[in-house]
Amino acid sequence: MRCRDVRALIERSMDGRVSLDGEFRVEEHARGCERCRRQLDEARQLEDLMLQLPSPALDRVDVPRALDAINAQLDVAPRATAPVRRTWRPARIAAAVVVLGVLGALLWTRTDERRPGSSSSPASPRLPGSTRIADSVAVPTAVPRPSAIEEPASARPAAQPRDRDDDPSAFDLTELVLDRERLVWAREQVRELIARCAPEDPAALDHAQAEQYAEALDEALSTLRSEAWPVRRIVEGLLDDPDRRTADAATRYLGVRGDRLSLAALEARLATDGKRVAAHALCDAGEPAFEALGRAVWDPELSDLVVARMQSVRGPAGVRWVRGALTLAPRFTRRADAAGAAQALAGLLARCGDAGLDALVDLAGHRLFSDDLVLSELAGAENASAWLVETIEREPSERDLRLLLNAAGILHPAEVQAWVEELCWSRRWASEAMDALASFDGTPATCDCAGVLATLLDLSFGLGEEDEGFLRAWKRAVERDPERLARFAQDRLDASAKSEARRYLELLVVSERAEAVPAILTLAASSQLGDEDRERAVLAAGELGGAQHLSHIARLFAGLERDQSELAAACLFAAHSMSESEGIEVLLAGLPERKRERILALFRSADMRRGSAVILFKLAREIEPVLSSTADEPWSHS
Amino acid sequence: MAAEATEESGLVERAQGGDRGAFDRIVRARFGQVYGILFRLVGNHEDAEDLAQECFVRAYQSLRFYRGEGSLGGWLARIAVHLAHDHARRGGRTGEVVGLPPALEPSGGELDPGQELSRKELANRLAQSVERLPRPLRVALMLRVLEGMEYEDVAQATGMRPGTVRTQVMKARRLLMRWMGPWLERSVK
C-alpha cells in the first residue's frame, strides 16, 4: 500500500467512512512508516481535540421561557395563510374590459392633447429629465422666417371652429377628397412654405435647430392652420417629395411637431434613401419614437447615428430603450453582423448609472451580448467599482456570479476581496474566483496583496498544483509583483511556518516564472528549510532566472560555510545557468584567477546532456576548500 | 429512531394544520439543536438565544413550505444558518471563537504544569484555526463535526450538495491539520 493511499484513507477514517479492514491496513502500514504514523497520530489528536469541544451550555437556555417568547411573537404575527387563489369570473372580466376601455380612451385623448398644433401649443411628450434627444451634430444654420402668404379667397375651405390637427376626430377625409382642387392648392402652399423655410441641409440640424425651424414653419403655416387645414397630414404627404431638400425639411418638421400617425410615416421613410434624416426626426420625437428607434438601431447604416443621438438619454429611460431595442433585434442576425450596434448599446447602458450596469449584467446572457463585451463596458464605466461593491453586498444571484467575479478581477476594489476569497473555497466558482483573486495586485491601499498569496497558498493544500484552475491563477499572481513574493516568503520564514514556507517554495518553482526567482532565493537562504530543498531551490532559480538575479545568488553564496559545499556548488551551477562565465566571475570575485579558471574549466569540459549531478559533485569538491569555516570570513582558506 | 421520525412528522403535519400544541412540542424537542448551531455561528449566548427564537417564529410562519423532503433538523438548521448570516451582515458578532472550551481548560491538578500549558496552547491554537477557516468551510465543519449532523442534513442547511459538503469538510480538516501541524507534532513527540 502506498503512502499516498494511506493518507487518503486517514482522511476518510477521520470521517468514519473507512471499513474495519481499511482501518487495519492503515495501522499495519503506519507501523512500518514513520511519516504516515505521525500523520495518523496527528489526525487522531486533532479529531479528539475537536470532539472534546463541548456543545454550547444548554443549561443556560430556558426553553419554557423561550417558548413563551416564541408564542408571544406568533400571537402578534400569526402564520401567514396560504395565498388566496383568485378566480376570474365573467363579470369581473367584463368589468375589467370596461375599465381598460375607458382608460384607453382617456389616454388617447390626452396623448392627442399633448401634440402641438402650432407654435403656441405645448411641446410633445418629453423623456423624463431631458428635453428631446439631443443632437450630436451642430450646424450653425440660420433658419429664415417666411412672410405670411396670400391665399385666394375662392380656395379657402369652409371656416372651422378650431385647428383640425389638434382634433383628429374632427378631421373628415372625405371632405378633402371631394374638394380635390382645394387640397392640391393647400398642398402646394405648404410645399412652398417648407421650401422657403427649409435650411440648407435639413439632415444636419441639431435638435435645437430643428425646434427653431419648426417654430418658424409653424408661424408661416399659421394662416392655413387657422383655417383648419390638417397641416400635419399634408406635410406627411411631402415626405416622398421629388425635391430631396423639401422631403428632408418636412421630415425634420414632423420629428418635432408630428403625432402618432406622423411617427408611422417617419418610420416608413427609414426604408428609403432618406433614412438618416428620418432617424434624426425620430430622435427629435423622443420617447414616443423609442420603438421605431429600437428597430432602426439594427440597421448598420443608422446604428451610429441613433446611438449618438441617444447618448443624451440617461438613467432608467436609456435602460428601457436599450432593453426594448434588444427585444427588437432581427431574429436571425448573426452576432458578428450586429456587433457594432450591440457594442454601442452596451456602451450606452454603461453610461446610464447603476441601473444601466445592472441591466448590462442582466443582459449578459443575450445572444448579441457576449461576456467580453459586457466586461469591457463594465471596466470602462464610471463608478463601476462602487457599483460592484454595492451589487455584491446585495447578495447577487447565482446566475450573475461568474460575470461579477470576472468584473471583480478587472476592477478589483478592495472591498470585494474577502468575497472573492470566500468563493475560492466553493466548488462551483473556485476557478473563476481564483482567477479574479490573482488580479488583486494593486497598491497596498487597494489590495491585501499578502492576503491574495495566503489564500492561494491555503487553497493549494486543498487543491494541489495539478488543479488547472489553481495553477493558472497562481501563475498570474506570481507574475504580478516579484517584490511582494519575496516579502511574503520572508513573512513565512519570520512566522516559522516551515510547512507553509516549503509549500510556497514548491509553488514558486512550479510557476516557472522568472518573477519568482528573488522569492525562491529568499527561501533558499533560510536554514529553516532542509539542505535538499535549498539546493533544489537554487537550481530552480538558475533555470528560471537571468543575469539580473546574479546579485541575489551572490548574496546567498557569500553566506555559505564549508559544510555547505553542495549548496555552494548549486549556487555556482545556477549562476552559470543564468549568465555563464560572467555569473561565475560575480560569485567568485574574491578568488584568485587560477581558481576561477579551474571552475570555469569544469563547466567547459562538462557534458551537460548527461545531467547536472556529476558537475555538481565536482564543483562541490572544488569549492569546499575555499569556503570559510564561518560565513563572516569569506575565502579565509583561499 | 424511526419511531421518533414518524412521531415528528406527525407533529409537523398537525402544526401545518395550525395546531400550536404540536408546534410547541417541536420547539421543545429542537430548541437545543438550533441554539447550539447558532451559538457556534454567532459566538455568544444572548444573540444565539434571540436568533433561536426568531428561527422558530420563521419556521412556524413558513411551515406550509416544508414538504418533508429533508429532515426537519436540516430544514431548521438552514433557517438558522440564514439567520446567522443575516445577523453577521447587520454587524452582529459572528465567527468569533467560541470561548476556551471547558473540557480543555486547566484540569485541576491531573496534569503537570507543562502539560497544562500545552493543552491550553493547543486549545487556543485550535480555536484560532477554526476562526481562520473561510466561512463556508467553517459552517460545514461545525455542522458535521461539532453538531454531528449527517452530510445530507448539512447539505440541506447550507444549500449545497452532499458531495460538496464532504469536500468542504475535508478541506477544512486539511487546513486545520496544516495550521495545527507544528503544535500537534510537538505534542505527539
Side-chain angles (χ1 to χ4, degrees), chain A residues 240-252:
Chain A
D240 54 0
D241 194 274
D243 177 45
R244 179 66 181 267
R245 184 163 156 264
T246 303
D248 288 354
T251 304
R252 293 309 297 266

Side-chain angles (χ1 to χ4, degrees), chain A residues 519-540:
Chain A
I520 290 175
L521 291 174
T522 302
L523 291 166
S526 166
S527 57
Q528 287 186 36
L529 297 183
D531 287 346
E532 201 178 329
D533 286 336
R534 296 174 72 187
E535 265 180 65
R536 283 183 191 160
V538 170
L539 291 173

Side-chain angles (χ1 to χ4, degrees), chain A residues 11 14-17 38-39 41-47 49-58 60-67 69-75 77-83 392-395 421-422 424-428 430 454 458-459 461-463 492 496 499-500 503, chain B residues 15-18 20 23-24 27-28 31-32 35-36 39-40 45-46 49 52-54 56-57 60-61 63-64 85-86 89 101-104 119 122 126 132 134-137 141 144-147 151 163-164 166-171 173-181 184-185 187-188:
Chain A
E11 278 180 355
M14 292 305 108
D15 215 20
R17 290 189 289 135
R38 199 177 332 126
Q39 184 159 6
D41 289 344
E42 287 176 15
R44 283 180 176 163
Q45 200 191 359
L46 179 70
E47 210 60 19
L49 272 175
M50 282 201 290
L51 291 176
Q52 282 176 44
L53 293 174
S55 294
L58 285 175
R60 289 185 67 188
V61 180
D62 185 353
V63 178
R65 192 176 60 80
L67 191 55
I70 291 166
N71 280 322
Q73 287 185 61
L74 288 178
D75 289 339
R79 188 171 62 144
T81 53
I392 285 165
E393 280 176 359
R394 290 199 304 261
E395 287 194 37
E421 285 178 10
E422 193 171 307
C424 287
W425 295 96
S426 77
R427 193 171 185 175
R428 185 166 175 194
D458 285 347
L459 280 165
F461 289 122
L463 295 171
R492 297 300 89 196
S496 300
S499 57
E500 288 185 16
R503 181 64 168 158
Chain B
Q16 282 174 327
R20 289 275 284 271
F23 187 70
D24 282 1
V27 175
R28 284 177 196 280
F31 196 84
Y35 167 80
F39 184 81
R40 293 198 193 281
H45 167 74
E46 289 74 21
E49 195 171 24
Q53 291 174 14
E54 174 70 18
F56 281 101
V57 170
Y60 186 73
Q61 287 174 335
L63 204 56
R64 66 178 185 280
H85 186 53
D86 288 348
R89 293 190 59 208
L104 294 174
R119 287 173 70 84
L122 269 178
L126 176 62
R132 192 177 152 194
R135 197 175 62 87
L137 271 60
L141 184 81
R144 168 67 187 168
V145 178
L146 303 184
E147 288 301 312
Y151 276 118
T164 309
R166 273 198 190 90
T167 312
Q168 302 278 46
V169 172
M170 187 184 72
K171 283 180 182 172
R173 277 201 173 98
R174 278 186 191 168
L175 280 176
L176 288 180
M177 280 285 285
R178 187 64 58 181
W179 295 334
M180 293 286 292
L184 293 173
E185 200 175 327
S187 169
V188 167

Side-chain angles (χ1 to χ4, degrees), chain A residues 478 482 485 508-509 511-521 544 549:
Chain A
V478 168
L485 295 174
L508 287 169
V509 173
S511 74
E512 296 181 6
R513 293 287 187 272
E515 292 88 342
V517 170
I520 290 175
L521 291 174
L544 301 175
H549 299 116

Side-chain angles (χ1 to χ4, degrees), chain A residues 186-499:
Chain A
R187 184 187 159 100
E188 274 311 305
Q189 294 304 313
V190 172
R191 188 173 184 282
E192 191 185 325
L193 288 171
I194 285 180
R196 198 186 300 170
C197 297
E200 197 60 40
D201 180 6
L205 296 183
D206 63 19
H207 180 69
Q209 289 165 339
E211 287 261 17
Q212 196 182 348
Y213 162 62
E215 199 175 320
L217 188 55
D218 274 338
E219 200 176 313
L221 292 169
S222 59
T223 311
L224 284 172
R225 197 184 295 278
S226 68
E227 292 181 347
W229 286 104
V231 173
R232 273 196 214 106
R233 304 285 88 82
I234 296 172
V235 176
E236 282 161 20
L238 295 172
L239 290 180
D240 54 0
D241 194 274
D243 177 45
R244 179 66 181 267
R245 184 163 156 264
T246 303
D248 288 354
T251 304
R252 293 309 297 266
Y253 174 79
L254 288 174
V256 180
R257 295 284 187 249
D259 60 8
R260 189 171 44 84
L261 294 175
S262 313
L263 292 183
L266 287 175
E267 192 176 356
R269 204 175 180 220
L270 287 175
T272 68
D273 288 349
K275 61 167 72 173
R276 288 187 71 82
V277 190
H280 271 300
L282 287 167
C283 291
D284 288 335
E287 194 154 359
F290 268 17
E291 191 177 328
L293 289 168
R295 278 187 283 272
V297 78
W298 299 107
D299 181 338
E301 293 176 40
L302 295 178
S303 59
D304 287 350
L305 183 157
V306 173
V307 171
R309 291 288 308 266
M310 292 301 286
Q311 297 290 339
S312 60
V313 184
R314 299 286 173 95
V319 174
R320 213 163 46 243
W321 179 70
V322 175
R323 280 185 180 280
L326 283 167
T327 63
L328 295 168
R331 184 164 300 220
F332 299 109
T333 303
R334 287 184 308 158
R335 185 180 273 187
D337 294 340
Q343 186 164 8
L345 291 176
L348 200 62
L349 282 178
R351 284 184 284 277
C352 284
D354 286 0
L357 298 181
D358 286 342
L360 252 185
V361 173
D362 193 35
L363 291 168
H366 192 279
R367 66 189 167 92
L368 299 176
F369 269 27
S370 68
D371 282 3
D372 286 345
L373 171 62
V374 170
L375 286 170
S376 71
E377 292 301 335
L378 276 177
E382 202 178 336
N383 292 329
S385 291
W387 165 83
L388 182 64
V389 173
E390 274 183 28
T391 305
I392 285 165
E393 280 176 359
R394 290 199 304 261
E395 287 194 37
S397 68
E398 285 270 309
R399 178 180 165 273
D400 298 335
L401 278 185
R402 189 169 44 80
L403 199 79
L404 291 174
L405 274 171
N406 288 334
I410 294 170
L411 300 166
H412 38 76
E415 295 90 334
V416 305
Q417 185 172 335
W419 174 75
V420 175
E421 285 178 10
E422 193 171 307
L423 282 176
C424 287
W425 295 96
S426 77
R427 193 171 185 175
R428 185 166 175 194
W429 302 109
S431 181
E432 286 90 349
M434 286 188 294
D435 270 347
L437 188 64
S439 311
F440 279 74
D441 65 333
T443 57
T446 59
C447 161
D448 177 9
C449 302
V452 172
L453 291 174
T455 300
L456 288 174
L457 187 59
D458 285 347
L459 280 165
S460 78
F461 289 122
L463 295 171
E465 65 266 21
E466 65 275 6
D467 184 283
E468 223 171 84
F470 170 78
L471 192 58
R472 191 174 57 240
W474 177 254
K475 285 182 174 180
R476 281 186 64 195
V478 168
E479 283 167 0
R480 296 284 167 177
D481 181 4
E483 273 186 32
R484 77 169 171 175
L485 295 174
R487 275 200 307 275
F488 188 72
Q490 194 56 54
D491 288 347
R492 297 300 89 196
L493 295 172
D494 291 346
S496 300
K498 185 179 162 187
S499 57

Side-chain angles (χ1 to χ4, degrees), chain A residues 77-97:
Chain A
R79 188 171 62 144
T81 53
V84 178
R85 203 171 160 188
R86 296 184 185 280
T87 52
W88 286 95
R89 294 177 185 163
R92 282 186 181 160
I93 294 171
V97 168

